[in-house]
Amino acid sequence: MLQLTRRAALAGLLAGTVLAGAPAFAQDTIKVGVLHSLSGTMAISETTLKDTILMMIDDQNKKGGLLGKKLEAVVVDPASNWPLFAEKARELIQVQKVAVVFGCWTSVSRKSVLPVFEELNGLLFYPVQYEGEESSRNVFYTGAAPNQQAIPAVEYLMSKDGGEAKRWVLLGTDYVYPRTTNKILRAFLKSKGVAEADIMEEYTPFGHSDWQTIVRRVKQFASQGKKTAVVSTINGDANVPFYKELGNQGIKATDIPVVAFSVGEEELAGIDTKPLLGHLAAWNYFQSVKNGTNTEFVAQWKAFIKNPKRVTNDPMEAHYIGFKMWAQAVRQAGSTNVDAVRQAMYGQKVKSPSGYDITMHTNHHLAKPVMIGEIKADGQFEIVWQTKGPIVAEAWSPHIAENKGKVADWSYPWVCGNCTKPKF
């Protein structure tokens, strides 16, 4: 009886929120916010994501739009300025009255906008791998959580196929994603018996360009008789001089393999990849995946961008999935109202370019496959390892002791982002 009462209450709530969203139907278009850096240190990665959403909007409009209306992109440039992300998010929601926002790359930009989305009940689709340790009812995380990228990558490097690494260099840009990810990796490595002396950890600012000293220290650390691997959470245009310096100092993948979590096809497009052959990246998608959906995705991108040399990458695929799920949820809800769309998002499925049917779970994360790719001379990746199927995301890492009992589940009849599941 109590359960029926709650369901009835939910039905009434959703009916009320659909009515509350009625003014959106009075607009000539449905506005879609695009919140990506088009200048500054992160433009190398984020400009392509802006173009991906423009492509998806164009495609949806060719199919008749949504709810009988055309979609209109509202593009802003937060310019790799983290406080400016919050200002631009507020502008999109309050002034532009967008129905949804697709945006951010770095976790510091996401942390900047999060209070704005929660205060104004906006809806953000975040497309990049991140550190977890967060759960918001106003964000759908379409990139990887640590158990869908960082942990499997390290497990691979520990394995016989991955070279049986015994010492670890954790290199990252100095902000929340690398530091939190490496906190999780340190706990994981220690659970596997890795000694503190066998872990080197170092951070550099955004846009760092002088890598000679750090790369020299990595070589010295690796010269002590144990197989060493580098785990890179370096973000943005700092990757270009980092990889160039690896080549300058003759670091080969057979000696010290580097696995990157933020370097994909787009970042490699500006680098001479010959000295980097065999170094690795861990993602949930590579352009080199062979299936019909990916063939269509790559062809669609090249046609839209009008450049046959342009590449696709993992965060682009995450935006592709997120946008399609949002469009499906809007049609299901019959409204762009945030509360109605959020409820309709749970269980949405999309046939993804990765080759799998991807599902949105009530923890606001996707179940995703994990892939390890080796850099090839043409800037593409040869997939050397992957999971048998999609892995369900863990918003709160079990390798962090204080996370015990934490739950991320926004399903009715209870909603919880950071608590112990209640008993009814």
Side-chain angles (χ1 to χ4, degrees):
M1 185 63 183
L2 181 59
Q3 191 77 299
L4 289 175
T5 302
R6 289 190 177 116
R7 289 176 180 170
L10 176 64
L13 172 63
L14 290 182
T17 54
V18 171
L19 289 174
F25 289 94
Q27 298 176 357
D28 294 328
T29 60
I30 296 173
K31 291 184 177 182
V32 176
V34 184
L35 184 66
H36 282 300
S37 293
L38 310 181
S39 56
T41 187
M42 291 308 303
I44 185 176
S45 299
E46 293 195 66
T47 300
T48 296
L49 297 187
K50 176 266 294 182
D51 291 332
T52 302
I53 294 301
L54 296 183
M55 177 184 75
M56 300 305 294
I57 289 173
D58 179 70
D59 181 65
Q60 191 66 44
N61 282 337
K62 287 177 179 176
K63 297 174 180 176
L66 281 173
L67 307 180
K69 297 178 182 292
K70 292 292 186 180
L71 302 183
E72 175 188 351
V74 182
V75 179
V76 295
D77 178 16
S80 306
N81 180 323
W82 318 132
L84 189 56
F85 266 87
E87 294 179 27
K88 293 295 184 180
R90 188 172 294 275
E91 174 189 332
L92 287 171
I93 300 170
Q94 280 191 319
V95 179
Q96 297 294 337
K97 308 294 184 184
V98 298
V100 64
V101 176
F102 294 85
C104 300
W105 179 293
T106 68
S107 285
V108 67
S109 65
R110 191 193 69 256
K111 294 288 188 184
S112 176
V113 305
L114 185 59
V116 177
F117 279 88
E118 292 184 337
E119 174 196 342
L120 302 177
N121 195 29
L123 194 60
L124 172 67
F125 281 76
Y126 177 66
V128 185
Q129 87 294 338
Y130 83 123
E131 69 282 0
E133 309 305 294
E134 179 181 297
S135 181
S136 172
R137 68 192 295 267
N138 295 93
V139 181
F140 284 98
Y141 307 82
T142 56
N147 73 303
Q148 296 172 310
Q149 184 192 41
I151 297 296
V154 169
E155 287 179 321
Y156 172 76
L157 289 170
M158 284 180 162
S159 71
K160 184 175 182 180
D161 290 341
E164 298 180 299
K166 305 295 184 184
R167 304 198 93 199
W168 302 87
V169 179
L170 309 180
L171 292 183
T173 303
D174 193 5
Y175 73 106
V176 60
Y177 162 63
R179 285 190 176 276
T180 306
T181 297
N182 288 335
K183 177 182 178 181
I184 293 168
L185 288 179
R186 269 185 174 273
F188 173 75
L189 289 170
K190 289 180 179 179
S191 75
K192 295 296 184 180
V194 177
E196 181 69 28
D198 288 327
I199 303 174
M200 169 184 167
E201 188 171 347
E202 189 145 354
Y203 298 93
T204 53
F206 279 99
H208 187 71
S209 59
D210 185 2
W211 289 94
Q212 290 185 9
T213 301
I214 292 174
V215 171
R216 193 179 304 119
R217 284 206 294 268
V218 169
K219 290 181 70 174
Q220 182 180 4
F221 184 79
S223 67
Q224 300 178 25
K226 294 181 181 179
K227 182 68 175 182
T228 301
V230 175
V231 177
S232 171
T233 47
I234 300 165
N235 262 264
D237 55 11
N239 278 293
V240 176
F242 169 66
Y243 276 94
K244 285 183 177 178
E245 188 58 32
L246 291 178
N248 291 342
Q249 297 199 28
I251 292 182
K252 298 180 180 179
T254 50
D255 302 321
I256 310 173
V258 176
V259 61
F261 300 158
S262 298
V263 173
E265 294 85 345
E266 184 73 9
E267 288 76 15
L268 291 180
I271 303 174
D272 177 12
T273 58
K274 292 183 179 60
L276 308 181
L277 297 182
H279 286 301
L280 307 167
W283 290 104
N284 310 107
Y285 162 86
F286 289 105
Q287 181 177 308
S288 55
V289 170
K290 304 296 184 185
N291 64 71
T293 304
N294 189 41
T295 299
E296 292 177 5
F297 175 52
V298 174
Q300 180 185 4
W301 169 244
K302 292 179 183 296
F304 175 80
I305 211 70
K306 297 180 173 59
N307 184 346
K309 295 183 179 180
R310 289 291 298 276
V311 295
T312 58
N313 63 27
D314 180 284
M316 289 175 63
E317 193 226 19
H319 257 346
Y320 170 96
I321 294 169
F323 185 91
K324 282 185 171 289
M325 285 187 171
W326 172 76
Q328 290 173 184
V330 168
R331 285 195 294 266
Q332 181 177 317
S335 170
T336 58
N337 175 271
V338 168
D339 294 313
V341 171
R342 176 171 43 239
Q343 192 66 27
M345 278 292 298
Y346 306 136
Q348 291 293 342
K349 290 186 179 181
V350 166
K351 185 72 175 178
S352 74
S354 70
Y356 296 91
D357 289 324
I358 303 298
T359 303
M360 179 60 72
H361 290 242
T362 56
N363 65 1
H364 284 213
H365 290 70
L366 301 174
K368 308 188 78 172
V370 186
M371 304 177 186
I372 308 291
E374 283 188 1
I375 298 173
K376 296 166 51 179
D378 62 358
Q380 290 292 313
F381 290 85
E382 178 183 356
I383 298 170
V384 296
W385 179 87
Q386 68 180 79
T387 55
K388 293 181 180 180
I391 304 299
V392 176
E394 294 174 339
W396 304 101
S397 174
H399 300 289
I400 303 297
E402 55 265 34
N403 284 346
K404 186 177 182 180
K406 286 185 179 179
V407 175
D409 188 344
W410 295 98
S411 60
Y412 193 78
W414 66 285
V415 290
C416 180
N418 178 6
C419 64
T420 302
K421 187 173 181 178
K423 297 178 180 179
F424 291 100

